[in-house]
Amino acid sequence: FWPQDLDYEGKRVAVIGSGATAITLVPTMAEKASQTFMVQRSPAYVVARPSVDPLSKRLRFLPKKVNHKLTRWKALTMQQLVYGMSRRKPERVKALIDKWIRKELGPDYDYETHFTPRYNPWDERICVSKDGDFFEAIRQGKVEMVTDAVDRITPTGLKLQSGREIEVDVIVTATGLEMVSFGGADVRLDGVSLDPSDLVSYRSILFAGLPNAAVIFGYAGASWTLKLELGVRYLCRLFS
């Protein structure tokens, strides 16, 4: 819940978390904050990706529809290849991601502490830094990575389990997303509450015994919005 009147310009900010929310928030807040700390209990895999696909740029001479289909096919194919390789040969993918990060931050950065996860790629989702803005903020000294567990919040900031204290003006908790079936709604059929865990799903969209209702759930190991798009297209065909 973000306060709309929050003014963090020129202030010291700590973002607690290492997932997609933190990777997105940190470079954005670093543009205005005097110093930004990203406090993570354990590292995550982060890769830089361009906001505009290079293939799409090169194919601008083609009709937009053709360009879109080719770019989409390339993106899906690459995603499947990376995920498949992560399952079959995780060490190779880890080495590749490590090489990309070292290219972004240089040879002297402490990768072992801040960018060496305890798990293999795609055991958890890989975070994406748009146009490498996350790494750029670190290179510029605007962002300091802090890999440690939070012991407690103090009147002046954060006390870490290592004993270090960080003085900050603003603390942002970007520590995870709680997924709740049906958004936590009380689903009733003929006045009787239904437990979503008791329902059999079809294509992760429709549910047995629950007519005229659809819920779309994204992929766990691929682009979340990709599955949403497939679900919406299916529903449109069904309704028509």
Side-chain angles (χ1 to χ4, degrees):
F1 300 95
W2 193 272
Q4 296 301 315
D5 58 348
L6 176 63
D7 180 13
Y8 58 87
E9 186 168 1
K11 296 182 179 180
R12 293 167 63 85
V13 175
V15 177
I16 303 174
S18 60
T21 303
I23 298 300
T24 305
L25 269 179
V26 165
T28 303
M29 298 192 74
E31 294 176 1
K32 296 171 60 178
S34 63
Q35 181 65 30
T36 304
F37 300 89
M38 178 167 154
V39 184
Q40 57 179 10
R41 184 174 53 218
S42 59
Y45 291 104
V46 185
V47 297
R49 296 294 299 160
S51 54
V52 178
D53 192 282
L55 178 64
S56 179
K57 286 183 178 180
R58 291 195 292 268
L59 298 180
R60 282 179 176 171
F61 63 91
L62 294 174
K64 287 184 178 181
K65 197 169 185 178
V66 176
N67 186 327
H68 172 74
K69 285 188 175 182
L70 291 174
T71 304
R72 177 185 173 86
W73 177 85
K74 173 250 185 181
L76 296 179
T77 302
M78 289 300 298
Q79 189 175 64
Q80 290 174 350
L81 287 174
V82 171
Y83 182 80
M85 184 65 71
S86 298
R87 299 291 88 190
R88 295 191 302 272
K89 299 182 178 180
E91 293 301 321
R92 181 176 296 184
V93 178
K94 286 168 67 174
L96 183 59
I97 295 176
D98 182 71
K99 180 180 178 181
W100 290 340
I101 295 176
R102 290 177 185 273
K103 184 178 179 181
E104 291 283 348
L105 297 178
D108 299 327
Y109 196 80
D110 187 0
Y111 302 97
E112 292 297 323
T113 300
H114 304 305
F115 287 100
T116 305
R118 305 167 186 168
Y119 54 89
N120 289 328
W122 278 115
D123 281 354
E124 295 183 19
R125 296 172 71 85
I126 296 176
C127 296
V128 174
S129 167
K130 180 177 67 68
D131 294 323
D133 58 353
F134 175 71
F135 297 112
E136 183 179 358
I138 295 176
R139 289 196 304 268
Q140 294 177 351
K142 296 179 179 180
V143 171
E144 179 184 342
M145 299 291 291
V146 180
T147 303
D148 201 345
V150 176
D151 181 61
R152 65 182 183 272
I153 295 176
T154 68
T156 57
L158 295 173
K159 177 72 176 294
L160 307 178
Q161 286 188 357
S162 64
R164 179 183 176 185
E165 293 191 36
I166 302 175
E167 292 188 4
V168 293
D169 305 299
V170 179
I171 299 174
V172 181
T173 53
T175 51
L177 185 67
E178 286 191 20
M179 301 302 298
V180 182
S181 297
F182 295 94
D186 180 16
V187 182
R188 294 173 177 266
L189 180 63
D190 296 331
V192 179
S193 293
L194 299 178
D195 184 349
S197 63
D198 293 334
L199 305 178
V200 177
S201 68
Y202 176 69
R203 297 194 178 189
S204 299
I205 300 173
L206 305 176
F207 294 85
L210 186 61
N212 304 319
V215 176
I216 302 178
F217 197 83
Y219 286 123
S223 169
W224 188 270
T225 52
L226 176 63
K227 178 60 180 294
L228 303 190
E229 181 183 13
L230 293 175
V232 168
R233 289 186 175 190
Y234 169 77
L235 289 175
C236 288
R237 294 196 304 272
L238 180 66
F239 294 155
S240 62

